[in-house]
Amino acid sequence: MILEKVKKTILEHGLIEKNDKVILGISGGHDSSALLDILLKLKKDFKIELILAHVNYGYRGKDSDQDEKFVRKLAKKHHLKIYVKKIDPKSYENKTGLESYFRTIRYDFFKEIFLKEKAQKIALAHTLSDQIETVLMFFLRGSGLAGLTGMDYRRGEITRPLLDISREELTKYLEKNKLKWQKDITNESTDFTRNKIRLKLIPFLEKEFNPNLKNTLKMTVQIIKENEEVLNNLVKEIFPQIARTQRTSAPVVKLELFLNLQKFLILETGLQRLILRKILSDFGQDKISFVFLDDILAMVELGQSGSRKIVGDVKIFKKKRRIIFEKIKGS
């Protein structure tokens, strides 16, 4: 039964503790409507306080407003506090990469409410199906191990109680309990990469190669996570021996990291990539492809002193026997 399965996930990964105040990100759609009902039923077990947070992007016009009305009614029905953020579509009409843009808005809003309410957790309704889509998306982009580990059950205050539940299981749960939800027609559009993977790639792989694809990839992700943890511990052990950081002061505030080239180059290539990924992640650059890491490695190994690359707001340049990573914080 789903309730027991979700409760097991929560306890196993420490996603919610007794007396927590939990901000629940709710769209009114299939997954978040199910998570709301599940958490309401588990409310007594954990003695939690639920607060809803909804973003109306205005992307679907009247349908977006209808989603907002729907979640407001849910909040009223269950006597829950709700926060709503409404976005003017004109603010993003010329933007590209809307998936990423909306995600940033959503997470920033949830964090804002989290801090305002002095909450302990933010619960998101990502499912096993979302996890598989994420892993395939990163695989197709040429991600390293970090991308193939998918989403975490918990990262800081963000928790994902439904990460062991497939979308199909949730549909049965919603129908069995006669629960309503808002249908998002954009989920049927292949304009978004994730939708294309869900609607075209996964059904093809399940039909032609592995009908048990989701569970197979779930086990693979778990193995990769365990291996990644071992490698990350190794990187943490080596890192202080080959790198040092310093922060400069006004008039220009910089965060700099100096990498000892001689010590770095004797490491195996795989470790070099992991160290570069760690550095860039520490500098706020998480989405780095395998190809770009190899470009940096080529510069490190073969580039002349003075060679440089730029990743977002991070400058990487070679200076004699050092590689310097520099992030300008302000001027």
Side-chain angles (χ1 to χ4, degrees), residues 125-137:
H126 294 120
T127 65
L128 173 60
S129 303
D130 293 313
Q131 179 77 298
I132 301 312
E133 293 160 15
T134 299
V135 170
L136 287 172
M137 190 160 58

Side-chain angles (χ1 to χ4, degrees), residues 45-46 81-82 84 106 120-121 124 127 132-133 145 153 167 169 173 206-207 219-220 230 242 277 301 316 327:
D45 291 348
F46 291 97
K81 185 185 290 189
I82 183 170
V84 174
R106 185 166 62 248
Q120 284 73 49
K121 304 290 187 325
L124 303 181
T127 65
I132 301 312
E133 293 160 15
L145 284 180
Y153 286 95
R167 199 170 286 123
E169 288 178 282
Y173 177 85
E206 288 177 329
K207 180 181 177 182
M219 288 187 290
T220 302
V230 172
I242 64 171
R277 188 178 289 280
E301 294 177 8
I316 308 167
K327 183 171 185 179

Side-chain angles (χ1 to χ4, degrees), residues 191-255:
D191 290 343
F192 295 113
T193 302
R194 181 180 289 276
N195 289 359
K196 195 177 292 186
I197 289 171
R198 182 178 70 253
L199 298 171
K200 292 188 173 183
L201 179 59
I202 291 176
F204 173 75
L205 292 174
E206 288 177 329
K207 180 181 177 182
E208 299 293 335
F209 296 96
N210 185 354
N212 197 33
L213 178 71
K214 290 185 179 69
N215 284 325
T216 300
L217 286 179
K218 180 184 175 183
M219 288 187 290
T220 302
V221 165
Q222 184 57 38
I223 292 168
I224 292 173
K225 279 183 184 290
E226 291 167 0
N227 291 342
E228 176 79 351
E229 188 174 347
V230 172
L231 290 170
N232 283 337
N233 287 336
L234 180 58
V235 168
K236 287 177 185 177
E237 184 180 327
I238 294 172
F239 197 74
Q241 303 169 27
I242 64 171
R244 66 179 179 86
T245 59
Q246 74 175 30
R247 190 182 299 272
T248 62
S249 56
V252 179
V253 180
K254 298 178 185 177
L255 179 63

Side-chain angles (χ1 to χ4, degrees), residues 222-325:
Q222 184 57 38
I223 292 168
I224 292 173
K225 279 183 184 290
E226 291 167 0
N227 291 342
E228 176 79 351
E229 188 174 347
V230 172
L231 290 170
N232 283 337
N233 287 336
L234 180 58
V235 168
K236 287 177 185 177
E237 184 180 327
I238 294 172
F239 197 74
Q241 303 169 27
I242 64 171
R244 66 179 179 86
T245 59
Q246 74 175 30
R247 190 182 299 272
T248 62
S249 56
V252 179
V253 180
K254 298 178 185 177
L255 179 63
E256 296 179 324
L257 184 142
F258 300 90
L259 193 63
N260 185 303
L261 192 55
Q262 187 176 3
K263 292 180 179 179
F264 179 76
L265 289 177
I266 64 174
L267 299 174
E268 294 177 349
T269 304
L271 267 178
Q272 291 175 349
R273 286 197 191 99
L274 288 171
I275 287 168
L276 289 177
R277 188 178 289 280
K278 171 185 164 42
I279 293 169
L280 291 169
S281 178
D282 289 347
F283 275 78
Q285 300 296 325
D286 292 314
K287 297 179 180 178
I288 306 298
S289 71
F290 179 90
V291 173
F292 197 85
L293 284 177
D294 270 9
D295 283 347
I296 298 173
L297 275 180
M299 183 195 77
V300 170
E301 294 177 8
L302 305 173
Q304 299 293 320
S305 181
S307 300
R308 64 179 56 214
K309 284 194 174 295
I310 296 176
V311 188
D313 57 357
V314 180
K315 297 178 184 177
I316 308 167
F317 53 97
K318 189 171 183 178
K319 188 174 182 181
K320 296 182 180 178
R321 296 182 180 179
R322 294 184 298 179
I323 300 297
I324 302 173
F325 296 77

Side-chain angles (χ1 to χ4, degrees), residues 16-33:
I16 295 174
E17 297 169 18
K18 285 191 175 181
N19 301 311
D20 271 353
K21 183 183 286 190
V22 180
I23 309 299
L24 171 58
I26 185 164
S27 66
H30 179 277
D31 303 343
S32 62
S33 295

